[in-house]
Amino acid sequence: GVGPSDASPDEGVVEDLPLIDEKAVEQLAEGLISHYLPDLQRSKSALQELTQNQVVLLETLEQEISKFKECNSIVDINALFSEAKHYHNKLVNIRNEMMMLHEKTSKLKVSGINI
């Protein structure tokens, strides 16, 4: 025959559950929410502030990066000016040499030597 050990372990569980009081569930839910909600709201506002600070930080970084780019272009301009000065000096030297050669040839012509 069928003994007590053959009965399903879940048998009779549904009948053993008390009726769920919806008002109690609602009150428990409200209590749980009221317990965690202030912390969650504080966390939300802290995260919003952090996000705003990150935006400000990013904008500041972008400004600093643009300053560095300007500094690099200034360095490039300085290099260009020093190169221009170098070539200007070369031109001045060539002009001086040409004037000196012109003087020498003029003196030679005056002396009666045709070049």
Side-chain angles (χ1 to χ4, degrees):
V2 176
S5 62
D6 292 338
S8 170
D10 293 336
E11 195 174 304
V13 170
V14 174
E15 291 82 18
D16 292 344
L17 284 176
L19 290 173
I20 296 172
D21 184 354
E22 287 190 21
K23 183 165 185 170
V25 169
E26 191 177 317
Q27 287 175 337
L28 285 169
E30 283 178 8
L32 192 67
I33 288 172
S34 68
H35 179 74
Y36 286 108
L37 193 61
D39 284 340
L40 289 172
Q41 286 175 330
R42 278 194 295 273
S43 296
K44 180 183 177 184
S45 66
L47 284 171
Q48 285 174 334
E49 186 178 344
L50 182 65
T51 305
Q52 288 171 345
N53 289 341
Q54 283 180 329
V55 168
V56 169
L57 183 62
L58 281 173
E59 288 173 355
T60 306
L61 276 174
E62 284 173 5
Q63 290 172 358
E64 292 301 314
I65 287 169
S66 67
K67 285 181 188 175
F68 277 116
K69 285 180 181 174
E70 285 173 21
C71 285
N72 282 341
S73 63
I74 287 171
V75 168
D76 291 344
I77 289 170
N78 286 337
L80 194 63
F81 274 120
S82 65
E83 197 175 344
K85 187 175 181 182
H86 171 72
Y87 284 112
H88 177 263
N89 289 337
K90 276 189 162 193
L91 284 171
V92 167
N93 289 338
I94 291 171
R95 189 187 71 186
N96 289 341
E97 273 187 52
M98 288 178 73
M99 286 172 58
M100 192 175 69
L101 287 172
H102 177 69
E103 272 183 43
K104 284 184 179 180
T105 55
S106 297
K107 284 179 184 175
L108 288 173
K109 282 182 183 177
V110 168
S111 302
I113 302 172
N114 286 330
I115 299 174

